[in-house]
Amino acid sequence: MLYRLIDWLNELGPRFYTAFLEADRWKLYLQGLGRTLEMTLVALVMGVILGVVVAVIRAAHDQQRAGRRKHPLLAILNFICKIYTTVIRGTPMMVQLLIWTFVIFPSIRDKILVGIIGLGINSGAYVAEIVRGGLMSVDGGQMEAGRSLGLGYLDTMRFIVVPQAFKNILPSLGNELITLFKDTSLVQAIGGMELVYYASTIGGRTFDYMPPYIGIAVMYLCIVVVLTWLQGKLERRLRQSDRR
């Protein structure tokens, strides 16, 4: 048993050399990692913008004073937003990507673009609930204080409510970023040329899938560790500003 283990360990060096260094295959991994990070950032921006819009609409609807007539347009928009968040959060990401690829955009050949759309819309639903929860956690008196100072609804949200809610939602937003980064691996299923795609391609060429998959797992782990460290550092910085 021990000799088999030693022989297996001795074989790892040549196998990893073939998977990463031979024929400059490491360049493919870097190219895939670059596309993965690109998808993450673009989808995150898309998701944050969409999520904030949905959260503001839903928070504005929920914060209407009891006894007063509900604004009809706001009620319609709130209904649409509720359906959006319910459907997106209630169906698997993989199924959504397949629908975007083969049902809604079957003629688009750029699968990275389709993946970004799918990831961004999926992320927007989760960001919307995160932001809405943060906005609703701020005391209602803050909104009334802003309005009593002559500020409009949007200005009150921008200068008073949102800055306070941001500290509450930061941990959840950081977790959503990490989840979104890992979910980019699903784009390989629709033909997107990202990190997992290149690892699978190299494994098929070398007839050895273990080194490529172990290698990209380490890459994902390193990026997640860095993002987690940056998130913790930002949270500590915000807590220091509270003590002042």
Side-chain angles (χ1 to χ4, degrees):
M1 184 67 180
L2 180 60
Y3 289 110
R4 290 182 180 180
L5 178 60
I6 294 175
D7 291 338
W8 183 78
L9 292 175
N10 289 331
E11 292 176 358
L12 285 181
R15 292 170 68 182
F16 274 91
Y17 175 84
T18 301
F20 287 90
L21 299 180
E22 188 176 282
D24 290 335
R25 291 193 174 106
W26 58 273
K27 294 181 180 179
L28 294 178
Y29 292 98
L30 291 182
Q31 184 177 350
L33 181 59
R35 290 189 176 182
T36 295
L37 293 174
E38 178 184 358
M39 280 196 301
T40 302
L41 293 177
V42 177
L44 178 66
V45 172
M46 178 180 175
V48 168
I49 294 174
L50 182 59
V52 168
V53 171
V54 172
V56 169
I57 291 174
R58 297 205 60 196
H61 178 270
D62 294 342
Q63 290 176 346
Q64 293 182 102
R65 295 181 180 178
R68 297 185 63 179
R69 184 173 179 270
K70 303 295 184 180
H71 196 287
L73 178 59
L74 191 59
I76 294 173
L77 292 176
N78 179 69
F79 177 73
I80 295 174
C81 292
K82 287 183 68 175
I83 292 179
Y84 160 67
T85 55
T86 300
V87 171
I88 295 298
R89 296 172 69 228
T91 54
M93 166 72 82
M94 177 63 74
V95 176
Q96 294 174 28
L97 287 175
L98 294 175
I99 292 175
W100 286 112
T101 304
F102 300 108
V103 179
I104 300 177
F105 298 121
S107 60
I108 295 182
R109 296 183 178 180
D110 187 355
K111 302 308 179 184
I112 292 293
L113 176 60
V114 177
I116 289 174
I117 294 174
L119 291 170
I121 292 178
N122 181 273
S123 178
Y126 288 93
V127 171
E129 290 303 299
I130 292 171
V131 175
R132 187 177 73 91
L135 295 176
M136 299 300 292
S137 67
V138 178
D139 187 85
Q142 300 292 321
M143 174 63 72
E144 295 179 0
R147 300 302 292 270
S148 66
L149 293 174
L151 297 176
Y153 177 81
L154 293 179
D155 287 337
T156 304
M157 293 290 290
R158 176 184 176 187
F159 296 110
I160 298 179
V161 178
V162 172
Q164 297 181 59
F166 178 74
K167 296 180 181 180
N168 297 331
I169 67 178
L170 181 60
S172 298
L173 283 178
N175 293 334
E176 174 60 23
L177 170 61
I178 293 173
T179 300
L180 182 61
F181 170 70
K182 293 185 293 185
D183 283 345
T184 57
S185 60
L186 298 175
V187 178
Q188 185 265 349
I190 61 173
M193 300 174 67
E194 41 71 66
L195 190 56
V196 178
Y197 175 89
Y198 286 111
S200 299
T201 301
I202 293 172
R205 292 177 182 175
T206 61
F207 302 102
D208 188 0
Y209 286 93
M210 189 275 284
Y213 286 152
I214 294 296
I216 65 171
V218 173
M219 293 180 187
Y220 278 111
L221 178 60
C222 291
I223 297 295
V224 169
V225 169
V226 171
L227 292 176
T228 304
W229 176 77
L230 291 175
Q231 176 186 346
K233 188 173 183 179
L234 181 57
E235 291 177 8
R236 289 191 296 270
R237 186 67 176 267
L238 292 176
R239 286 197 295 268
Q240 289 177 358
S241 65
D242 286 342
R243 299 190 188 101
R244 296 173 186 173

PDB file of all heavy atoms in Angstrom, residues 39-69:
ATOM      1  N   MET A  39     -16.502  38.166 -16.422  1.00  0.00           N
ATOM      2  CA  MET A  39     -17.919  37.833 -16.271  1.00  0.00           C
ATOM      3  C   MET A  39     -18.429  38.208 -14.887  1.00  0.00           C
ATOM      4  O   MET A  39     -19.533  38.749 -14.746  1.00  0.00           O
ATOM      5  CB  MET A  39     -18.132  36.334 -16.510  1.00  0.00           C
ATOM      6  CG  MET A  39     -18.186  35.924 -17.958  1.00  0.00           C
ATOM      7  SD  MET A  39     -18.888  34.260 -18.157  1.00  0.00           S
ATOM      8  CE  MET A  39     -17.731  33.309 -17.185  1.00  0.00           C
ATOM      9  N   THR A  40     -17.628  37.934 -13.874  1.00  0.00           N
ATOM     10  CA  THR A  40     -18.043  38.233 -12.505  1.00  0.00           C
ATOM     11  C   THR A  40     -18.272  39.718 -12.311  1.00  0.00           C
ATOM     12  O   THR A  40     -19.304  40.141 -11.765  1.00  0.00           O
ATOM     13  CB  THR A  40     -16.986  37.730 -11.508  1.00  0.00           C
ATOM     14  OG1 THR A  40     -16.782  36.327 -11.684  1.00  0.00           O
ATOM     15  CG2 THR A  40     -17.429  37.990 -10.081  1.00  0.00           C
ATOM     16  N   LEU A  41     -17.328  40.539 -12.756  1.00  0.00           N
ATOM     17  CA  LEU A  41     -17.435  41.982 -12.543  1.00  0.00           C
ATOM     18  C   LEU A  41     -18.602  42.586 -13.312  1.00  0.00           C
ATOM     19  O   LEU A  41     -19.384  43.379 -12.766  1.00  0.00           O
ATOM     20  CB  LEU A  41     -16.120  42.662 -12.940  1.00  0.00           C
ATOM     21  CG  LEU A  41     -14.902  42.332 -12.073  1.00  0.00           C
ATOM     22  CD1 LEU A  41     -13.647  43.003 -12.622  1.00  0.00           C
ATOM     23  CD2 LEU A  41     -15.139  42.754 -10.626  1.00  0.00           C
ATOM     24  N   VAL A  42     -18.731  42.219 -14.590  1.00  0.00           N
ATOM     25  CA  VAL A  42     -19.818  42.782 -15.400  1.00  0.00           C
ATOM     26  C   VAL A  42     -21.176  42.325 -14.873  1.00  0.00           C
ATOM     27  O   VAL A  42     -22.113  43.126 -14.748  1.00  0.00           O
ATOM     28  CB  VAL A  42     -19.649  42.387 -16.882  1.00  0.00           C
ATOM     29  CG1 VAL A  42     -20.821  42.914 -17.708  1.00  0.00           C
ATOM     30  CG2 VAL A  42     -18.347  42.930 -17.436  1.00  0.00           C
ATOM     31  N   ALA A  43     -21.297  41.041 -14.547  1.00  0.00           N
ATOM     32  CA  ALA A  43     -22.558  40.533 -14.013  1.00  0.00           C
ATOM     33  C   ALA A  43     -22.868  41.155 -12.655  1.00  0.00           C
ATOM     34  O   ALA A  43     -24.042  41.413 -12.340  1.00  0.00           O
ATOM     35  CB  ALA A  43     -22.505  39.013 -13.890  1.00  0.00           C
ATOM     36  N   LEU A  44     -21.835  41.423 -11.856  1.00  0.00           N
ATOM     37  CA  LEU A  44     -22.055  42.051 -10.554  1.00  0.00           C
ATOM     38  C   LEU A  44     -22.590  43.465 -10.717  1.00  0.00           C
ATOM     39  O   LEU A  44     -23.544  43.861 -10.031  1.00  0.00           O
ATOM     40  CB  LEU A  44     -20.747  42.078  -9.755  1.00  0.00           C
ATOM     41  CG  LEU A  44     -20.834  42.757  -8.392  1.00  0.00           C
ATOM     42  CD1 LEU A  44     -21.735  41.965  -7.460  1.00  0.00           C
ATOM     43  CD2 LEU A  44     -19.444  42.917  -7.776  1.00  0.00           C
ATOM     44  N   VAL A  45     -21.990  44.248 -11.621  1.00  0.00           N
ATOM     45  CA  VAL A  45     -22.478  45.612 -11.868  1.00  0.00           C
ATOM     46  C   VAL A  45     -23.925  45.566 -12.339  1.00  0.00           C
ATOM     47  O   VAL A  45     -24.786  46.326 -11.867  1.00  0.00           O
ATOM     48  CB  VAL A  45     -21.583  46.314 -12.900  1.00  0.00           C
ATOM     49  CG1 VAL A  45     -22.199  47.656 -13.310  1.00  0.00           C
ATOM     50  CG2 VAL A  45     -20.184  46.537 -12.335  1.00  0.00           C
ATOM     51  N   MET A  46     -24.204  44.667 -13.260  1.00  0.00           N
ATOM     52  CA  MET A  46     -25.564  44.515 -13.771  1.00  0.00           C
ATOM     53  C   MET A  46     -26.521  44.113 -12.644  1.00  0.00           C
ATOM     54  O   MET A  46     -27.630  44.652 -12.524  1.00  0.00           O
ATOM     55  CB  MET A  46     -25.576  43.467 -14.884  1.00  0.00           C
ATOM     56  CG  MET A  46     -26.930  43.187 -15.473  1.00  0.00           C
ATOM     57  SD  MET A  46     -26.820  41.924 -16.788  1.00  0.00           S
ATOM     58  CE  MET A  46     -28.567  41.702 -17.156  1.00  0.00           C
ATOM     59  N   GLY A  47     -26.106  43.164 -11.831  1.00  0.00           N
ATOM     60  CA  GLY A  47     -26.948  42.704 -10.739  1.00  0.00           C
ATOM     61  C   GLY A  47     -27.191  43.765  -9.688  1.00  0.00           C
ATOM     62  O   GLY A  47     -28.311  43.891  -9.167  1.00  0.00           O
ATOM     63  N   VAL A  48     -26.157  44.552  -9.360  1.00  0.00           N
ATOM     64  CA  VAL A  48     -26.320  45.604  -8.347  1.00  0.00           C
ATOM     65  C   VAL A  48     -27.274  46.682  -8.845  1.00  0.00           C
ATOM     66  O   VAL A  48     -28.167  47.136  -8.107  1.00  0.00           O
ATOM     67  CB  VAL A  48     -24.946  46.203  -7.982  1.00  0.00           C
ATOM     68  CG1 VAL A  48     -25.120  47.480  -7.164  1.00  0.00           C
ATOM     69  CG2 VAL A  48     -24.116  45.189  -7.204  1.00  0.00           C
ATOM     70  N   ILE A  49     -27.098  47.116 -10.098  1.00  0.00           N
ATOM     71  CA  ILE A  49     -27.986  48.146 -10.644  1.00  0.00           C
ATOM     72  C   ILE A  49     -29.433  47.657 -10.661  1.00  0.00           C
ATOM     73  O   ILE A  49     -30.356  48.346 -10.203  1.00  0.00           O
ATOM     74  CB  ILE A  49     -27.534  48.545 -12.061  1.00  0.00           C
ATOM     75  CG1 ILE A  49     -26.168  49.238 -12.005  1.00  0.00           C
ATOM     76  CG2 ILE A  49     -28.559  49.465 -12.723  1.00  0.00           C
ATOM     77  CD1 ILE A  49     -25.579  49.542 -13.370  1.00  0.00           C
ATOM     78  N   LEU A  50     -29.638  46.449 -11.194  1.00  0.00           N
ATOM     79  CA  LEU A  50     -30.982  45.884 -11.257  1.00  0.00           C
ATOM     80  C   LEU A  50     -31.548  45.663  -9.857  1.00  0.00           C
ATOM     81  O   LEU A  50     -32.724  45.964  -9.587  1.00  0.00           O
ATOM     82  CB  LEU A  50     -30.945  44.572 -12.032  1.00  0.00           C
ATOM     83  CG  LEU A  50     -32.273  43.844 -12.259  1.00  0.00           C
ATOM     84  CD1 LEU A  50     -33.246  44.734 -13.018  1.00  0.00           C
ATOM     85  CD2 LEU A  50     -32.040  42.541 -13.019  1.00  0.00           C
ATOM     86  N   GLY A  51     -30.707  45.141  -8.954  1.00  0.00           N
ATOM     87  CA  GLY A  51     -31.177  44.858  -7.609  1.00  0.00           C
ATOM     88  C   GLY A  51     -31.549  46.107  -6.834  1.00  0.00           C
ATOM     89  O   GLY A  51     -32.548  46.122  -6.109  1.00  0.00           O
ATOM     90  N   VAL A  52     -30.776  47.180  -6.992  1.00  0.00           N
ATOM     91  CA  VAL A  52     -31.074  48.428  -6.284  1.00  0.00           C
ATOM     92  C   VAL A  52     -32.391  49.010  -6.783  1.00  0.00           C
ATOM     93  O   VAL A  52     -33.221  49.490  -5.990  1.00  0.00           O
ATOM     94  CB  VAL A  52     -29.920  49.436  -6.459  1.00  0.00           C
ATOM     95  CG1 VAL A  52     -30.334  50.821  -5.984  1.00  0.00           C
ATOM     96  CG2 VAL A  52     -28.685  48.961  -5.691  1.00  0.00           C
ATOM     97  N   VAL A  53     -32.607  48.985  -8.104  1.00  0.00           N
ATOM     98  CA  VAL A  53     -33.857  49.509  -8.665  1.00  0.00           C
ATOM     99  C   VAL A  53     -35.050  48.726  -8.119  1.00  0.00           C
ATOM    100  O   VAL A  53     -36.043  49.314  -7.666  1.00  0.00           O
ATOM    101  CB  VAL A  53     -33.828  49.455 -10.208  1.00  0.00           C
ATOM    102  CG1 VAL A  53     -35.200  49.799 -10.784  1.00  0.00           C
ATOM    103  CG2 VAL A  53     -32.783  50.411 -10.760  1.00  0.00           C
ATOM    104  N   VAL A  54     -34.945  47.408  -8.146  1.00  0.00           N
ATOM    105  CA  VAL A  54     -36.043  46.573  -7.637  1.00  0.00           C
ATOM    106  C   VAL A  54     -36.250  46.804  -6.145  1.00  0.00           C
ATOM    107  O   VAL A  54     -37.392  46.911  -5.669  1.00  0.00           O
ATOM    108  CB  VAL A  54     -35.753  45.085  -7.924  1.00  0.00           C
ATOM    109  CG1 VAL A  54     -36.778  44.187  -7.243  1.00  0.00           C
ATOM    110  CG2 VAL A  54     -35.759  44.832  -9.429  1.00  0.00           C
ATOM    111  N   ALA A  55     -35.162  46.908  -5.388  1.00  0.00           N
ATOM    112  CA  ALA A  55     -35.272  47.103  -3.938  1.00  0.00           C
ATOM    113  C   ALA A  55     -35.919  48.438  -3.601  1.00  0.00           C
ATOM    114  O   ALA A  55     -36.750  48.523  -2.686  1.00  0.00           O
ATOM    115  CB  ALA A  55     -33.884  47.020  -3.302  1.00  0.00           C
ATOM    116  N   VAL A  56     -35.554  49.488  -4.319  1.00  0.00           N
ATOM    117  CA  VAL A  56     -36.134  50.807  -4.062  1.00  0.00           C
ATOM    118  C   VAL A  56     -37.634  50.797  -4.356  1.00  0.00           C
ATOM    119  O   VAL A  56     -38.435  51.358  -3.595  1.00  0.00           O
ATOM    120  CB  VAL A  56     -35.418  51.887  -4.901  1.00  0.00           C
ATOM    121  CG1 VAL A  56     -36.181  53.211  -4.848  1.00  0.00           C
ATOM    122  CG2 VAL A  56     -33.997  52.089  -4.402  1.00  0.00           C
ATOM    123  N   ILE A  57     -38.021  50.145  -5.452  1.00  0.00           N
ATOM    124  CA  ILE A  57     -39.445  50.075  -5.791  1.00  0.00           C
ATOM    125  C   ILE A  57     -40.219  49.331  -4.706  1.00  0.00           C
ATOM    126  O   ILE A  57     -41.267  49.800  -4.236  1.00  0.00           O
ATOM    127  CB  ILE A  57     -39.636  49.388  -7.156  1.00  0.00           C
ATOM    128  CG1 ILE A  57     -39.096  50.280  -8.279  1.00  0.00           C
ATOM    129  CG2 ILE A  57     -41.113  49.075  -7.401  1.00  0.00           C
ATOM    130  CD1 ILE A  57     -39.106  49.630  -9.639  1.00  0.00           C
ATOM    131  N   ARG A  58     -39.689  48.197  -4.285  1.00  0.00           N
ATOM    132  CA  ARG A  58     -40.396  47.404  -3.281  1.00  0.00           C
ATOM    133  C   ARG A  58     -40.403  48.090  -1.925  1.00  0.00           C
ATOM    134  O   ARG A  58     -41.400  48.046  -1.201  1.00  0.00           O
ATOM    135  CB  ARG A  58     -39.757  46.015  -3.166  1.00  0.00           C
ATOM    136  CG  ARG A  58     -39.864  45.187  -4.452  1.00  0.00           C
ATOM    137  CD  ARG A  58     -39.799  43.718  -4.156  1.00  0.00           C
ATOM    138  NE  ARG A  58     -40.888  43.329  -3.278  1.00  0.00           N
ATOM    139  CZ  ARG A  58     -40.922  42.184  -2.609  1.00  0.00           C
ATOM    140  NH1 ARG A  58     -39.920  41.329  -2.710  1.00  0.00           N
ATOM    141  NH2 ARG A  58     -41.935  41.883  -1.841  1.00  0.00           N
ATOM    142  N   ALA A  59     -39.293  48.743  -1.559  1.00  0.00           N
ATOM    143  CA  ALA A  59     -39.247  49.456  -0.284  1.00  0.00           C
ATOM    144  C   ALA A  59     -40.191  50.647  -0.296  1.00  0.00           C
ATOM    145  O   ALA A  59     -40.872  50.920   0.697  1.00  0.00           O
ATOM    146  CB  ALA A  59     -37.817  49.914   0.000  1.00  0.00           C
ATOM    147  N   ALA A  60     -40.242  51.377  -1.418  1.00  0.00           N
ATOM    148  CA  ALA A  60     -41.153  52.515  -1.523  1.00  0.00           C
ATOM    149  C   ALA A  60     -42.604  52.064  -1.399  1.00  0.00           C
ATOM    150  O   ALA A  60     -43.426  52.732  -0.762  1.00  0.00           O
ATOM    151  CB  ALA A  60     -40.937  53.238  -2.853  1.00  0.00           C
ATOM    152  N   HIS A  61     -42.920  50.913  -1.983  1.00  0.00           N
ATOM    153  CA  HIS A  61     -44.288  50.391  -1.877  1.00  0.00           C
ATOM    154  C   HIS A  61     -44.608  49.976  -0.451  1.00  0.00           C
ATOM    155  O   HIS A  61     -45.701  50.267   0.074  1.00  0.00           O
ATOM    156  CB  HIS A  61     -44.461  49.200  -2.819  1.00  0.00           C
ATOM    157  CG  HIS A  61     -45.822  48.566  -2.747  1.00  0.00           C
ATOM    158  ND1 HIS A  61     -46.112  47.542  -1.869  1.00  0.00           N
ATOM    159  CD2 HIS A  61     -46.974  48.823  -3.438  1.00  0.00           C
ATOM    160  CE1 HIS A  61     -47.376  47.181  -2.020  1.00  0.00           C
ATOM    161  NE2 HIS A  61     -47.910  47.932  -2.951  1.00  0.00           N
ATOM    162  N   ASP A  62     -43.674  49.311   0.208  1.00  0.00           N
ATOM    163  CA  ASP A  62     -43.916  48.824   1.567  1.00  0.00           C
ATOM    164  C   ASP A  62     -43.957  49.958   2.587  1.00  0.00           C
ATOM    165  O   ASP A  62     -44.575  49.812   3.650  1.00  0.00           O
ATOM    166  CB  ASP A  62     -42.841  47.816   1.968  1.00  0.00           C
ATOM    167  CG  ASP A  62     -42.901  46.548   1.130  1.00  0.00           C
ATOM    168  OD1 ASP A  62     -43.943  46.305   0.503  1.00  0.00           O
ATOM    169  OD2 ASP A  62     -41.889  45.811   1.083  1.00  0.00           O
ATOM    170  N   GLN A  63     -43.299  51.070   2.280  1.00  0.00           N
ATOM    171  CA  GLN A  63     -43.222  52.178   3.230  1.00  0.00           C
ATOM    172  C   GLN A  63     -44.351  53.191   3.073  1.00  0.00           C
ATOM    173  O   GLN A  63     -44.351  54.210   3.754  1.00  0.00           O
ATOM    174  CB  GLN A  63     -41.876  52.890   3.087  1.00  0.00           C
ATOM    175  CG  GLN A  63     -40.691  52.073   3.584  1.00  0.00           C
ATOM    176  CD  GLN A  63     -39.365  52.758   3.332  1.00  0.00           C
ATOM    177  OE1 GLN A  63     -39.271  53.713   2.567  1.00  0.00           O
ATOM    178  NE2 GLN A  63     -38.325  52.266   3.982  1.00  0.00           N
ATOM    179  N   GLN A  64     -45.284  52.906   2.181  1.00  0.00           N
ATOM    180  CA  GLN A  64     -46.430  53.807   2.046  1.00  0.00           C
ATOM    181  C   GLN A  64     -47.247  53.799   3.332  1.00  0.00           C
ATOM    182  O   GLN A  64     -47.453  52.750   3.946  1.00  0.00           O
ATOM    183  CB  GLN A  64     -47.304  53.396   0.857  1.00  0.00           C
ATOM    184  CG  GLN A  64     -46.621  53.585  -0.490  1.00  0.00           C
ATOM    185  CD  GLN A  64     -47.541  53.212  -1.623  1.00  0.00           C
ATOM    186  OE1 GLN A  64     -48.111  54.065  -2.283  1.00  0.00           O
ATOM    187  NE2 GLN A  64     -47.692  51.914  -1.857  1.00  0.00           N
ATOM    188  N   ARG A  65     -47.708  54.953   3.724  1.00  0.00           N
ATOM    189  CA  ARG A  65     -48.432  55.068   4.988  1.00  0.00           C
ATOM    190  C   ARG A  65     -49.754  54.325   4.922  1.00  0.00           C
ATOM    191  O   ARG A  65     -50.466  54.377   3.924  1.00  0.00           O
ATOM    192  CB  ARG A  65     -48.678  56.543   5.315  1.00  0.00           C
ATOM    193  CG  ARG A  65     -47.392  57.322   5.585  1.00  0.00           C
ATOM    194  CD  ARG A  65     -47.692  58.765   5.917  1.00  0.00           C
ATOM    195  NE  ARG A  65     -46.458  59.514   6.183  1.00  0.00           N
ATOM    196  CZ  ARG A  65     -46.433  60.811   6.464  1.00  0.00           C
ATOM    197  NH1 ARG A  65     -47.562  61.514   6.495  1.00  0.00           N
ATOM    198  NH2 ARG A  65     -45.289  61.413   6.698  1.00  0.00           N
ATOM    199  N   ALA A  66     -50.056  53.653   6.019  1.00  0.00           N
ATOM    200  CA  ALA A  66     -51.315  52.906   6.106  1.00  0.00           C
ATOM    201  C   ALA A  66     -52.487  53.882   6.099  1.00  0.00           C
ATOM    202  O   ALA A  66     -52.436  54.959   6.698  1.00  0.00           O
ATOM    203  CB  ALA A  66     -51.328  52.053   7.380  1.00  0.00           C
ATOM    204  N   GLY A  67     -53.553  53.494   5.434  1.00  0.00           N
ATOM    205  CA  GLY A  67     -54.742  54.335   5.378  1.00  0.00           C
ATOM    206  C   GLY A  67     -54.784  55.260   4.181  1.00  0.00           C
ATOM    207  O   GLY A  67     -55.854  55.779   3.846  1.00  0.00           O
ATOM    208  N   ARG A  68     -53.637  55.476   3.555  1.00  0.00           N
ATOM    209  CA  ARG A  68     -53.598  56.337   2.383  1.00  0.00           C
ATOM    210  C   ARG A  68     -53.762  55.489   1.123  1.00  0.00           C
ATOM    211  O   ARG A  68     -53.395  54.328   1.084  1.00  0.00           O
ATOM    212  CB  ARG A  68     -52.284  57.113   2.328  1.00  0.00           C
ATOM    213  CG  ARG A  68     -52.087  58.066   3.502  1.00  0.00           C
ATOM    214  CD  ARG A  68     -50.839  58.901   3.338  1.00  0.00           C
ATOM    215  NE  ARG A  68     -50.933  59.752   2.159  1.00  0.00           N
ATOM    216  CZ  ARG A  68     -49.963  60.604   1.795  1.00  0.00           C
ATOM    217  NH1 ARG A  68     -48.850  60.698   2.513  1.00  0.00           N
ATOM    218  NH2 ARG A  68     -50.110  61.342   0.710  1.00  0.00           N
ATOM    219  N   ARG A  69     -54.277  56.095   0.082  1.00  0.00           N
ATOM    220  CA  ARG A  69     -54.513  55.384  -1.172  1.00  0.00           C
ATOM    221  C   ARG A  69     -53.175  54.995  -1.804  1.00  0.00           C
ATOM    222  O   ARG A  69     -52.287  55.820  -1.957  1.00  0.00           O
ATOM    223  CB  ARG A  69     -55.318  56.271  -2.123  1.00  0.00           C
ATOM    224  CG  ARG A  69     -55.713  55.576  -3.432  1.00  0.00           C
ATOM    225  CD  ARG A  69     -56.648  56.468  -4.219  1.00  0.00           C
ATOM    226  NE  ARG A  69     -57.013  55.839  -5.485  1.00  0.00           N
ATOM    227  CZ  ARG A  69     -56.332  55.989  -6.611  1.00  0.00           C
ATOM    228  NH1 ARG A  69     -55.228  56.739  -6.609  1.00  0.00           N
ATOM    229  NH2 ARG A  69     -56.734  55.406  -7.719  1.00  0.00           N
TER     230      ARG A  69
END
